[in-house]
Structures are given as C-alpha cells and as structure tokens.
C-alpha cells in the first residue's frame, strides 16, 4: 500500500517542484531582443526564419569587418574578403550576398571600420525574398552607430 501511494504522490511532488521558480534562477530574455527582418523589425521569438545577429560589444579591436563577422553567425562562412551565407549555389553567377549598410547597397565593405558598427543582421532563408533576386544568396544588414 505504501508503494502505491508513493508512486501516486511522487509525480505530483515533482510537478509542484517544477512550478516553483525562485528569483535567483536565470531567465531567458531572448524574446525581448529585436532583429531586422528586411521590411521591419520583429521580436526574436516571433521570427520563424533564420536570422543571425551580431552586436558590437567594443571589448575587442578587429582589423577589418570580415574579422568581426568571422565565426559569429552559424552557417555564414567568412574567408578573406568573401562572405558566403547559403554556400556555393551557382557555377556561373555571383554567390555574394546582398550587403546593405544603413539601407544603402554596397559591394565592398572592406573600408568599414568595425568599431563604427552597431549591429549586423544576417538573413539566411526565405525571409530575404523581400529583396528580390539579389537577396537569393542571403542578405547582410549592417547598422552603424551614427545611422539615423
């Protein structure tokens, strides 16, 4: 009889303990972060597409923007002065992503000082379709600190 009561009470006890959450436990503020999705901004937890975000924390000095991006966003390959988001998809055409700095298209971002960058959003999937054919290889949205 005691074993049966133990089997009944044990799951109830475990459920009540999992509902208890002391204030000292860390919480996830992931949903309060906003990301740029091309046609506006959205909360990170509401985005269904693949969007990576890199914030500049100014704790480390980088020699160029490519070094700043290297290894920060999963699925983005940065080698030398080349960025690949969706891999090599074509033999004949350009595989470079669309790069927008404060909303202006740029083909060469090597002149951008990494210390002037506030954040970089990388749109890697169908969410980049808002940019048309140019967004097919992905989109890199760079926001500088002095952007209006």
């Amino acid at each position: 009889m005691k074993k049966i009561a133990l089997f009944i009470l044990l799951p109830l006890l475990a459920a009540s303990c999992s509902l208890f959450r002391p204030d000292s436990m860390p919480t996830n503020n992931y949903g309060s972060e906003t990301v740029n999705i091309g046609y506006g901004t959205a909360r990170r937890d509401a985005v269904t597409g693949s969007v990576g975000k890199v914030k500049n924390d100014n704790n480390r000095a980088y020699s160029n923007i490519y070094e700043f991006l290297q290894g920060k966003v999963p699925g983005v390959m940065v080698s030398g002065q080349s960025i690949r988001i969706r891999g090599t998809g074509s033999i004949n055409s350009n595989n470079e992503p669309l790069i927008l700095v404060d909303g202006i298209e740029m083909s060469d971002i090597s002149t951008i000082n990494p210390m002037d960058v506030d954040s970089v959003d990388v749109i890697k999937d169908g969410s980049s379709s808002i940019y048309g054919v140019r967004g097919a290889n992905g989109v890199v949205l760079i926001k500088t600190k002095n952007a209006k």
Side-chain angles (χ1 to χ4, degrees):
M1 187 69 170
K2 289 182 182 180
K3 289 182 181 179
I4 294 173
L6 186 61
F7 285 123
I8 293 172
L9 291 176
L10 209 57
L12 294 174
L13 182 64
S16 66
C17 288
S18 66
L19 295 175
F20 176 70
R21 187 171 168 180
D23 291 334
S24 62
M25 290 184 70
T27 58
N28 186 3
N29 293 331
Y30 203 56
S32 63
E33 180 182 355
T34 60
V35 291
N36 192 340
I37 54 174
Y39 46 85
T41 58
R43 284 194 352 242
R44 170 70 99 184
D45 60 351
V47 174
T48 58
S50 179
V51 179
K53 183 168 188 140
V54 179
K55 300 260 316 161
N56 192 356
D57 54 4
N58 291 331
N59 288 338
R60 182 173 174 214
Y62 298 97
S63 61
N64 59 27
I65 190 74
Y66 298 102
E67 184 182 327
F68 172 73
L69 289 174
Q70 194 168 22
K72 300 275 179 79
V73 180
V76 176
M77 295 167 283
V78 179
S79 62
Q81 291 190 352
S82 173
I83 299 173
R84 296 278 186 266
I85 295 176
R86 302 187 75 180
T88 304
S90 176
I91 297 171
N92 297 329
S93 69
N94 188 3
N95 291 313
E96 292 291 321
L98 175 63
I99 300 172
L100 300 173
V101 179
D102 295 331
I104 300 170
E105 183 179 350
M106 292 188 72
S107 59
D108 182 27
I109 58 169
S110 61
T111 58
I112 296 175
N113 184 2
M115 299 306 282
D116 292 338
V117 173
D118 183 38
S119 66
V120 178
D121 292 315
V122 180
I123 304 174
K124 299 186 275 187
D125 63 351
S127 300
S128 64
S129 65
I130 189 78
Y131 295 101
V133 175
R134 291 278 301 148
N137 293 325
V139 180
V140 178
L141 303 168
I142 300 173
K143 182 180 174 190
T144 59
K145 292 179 181 174
N146 58 357
K148 302 257 183 223

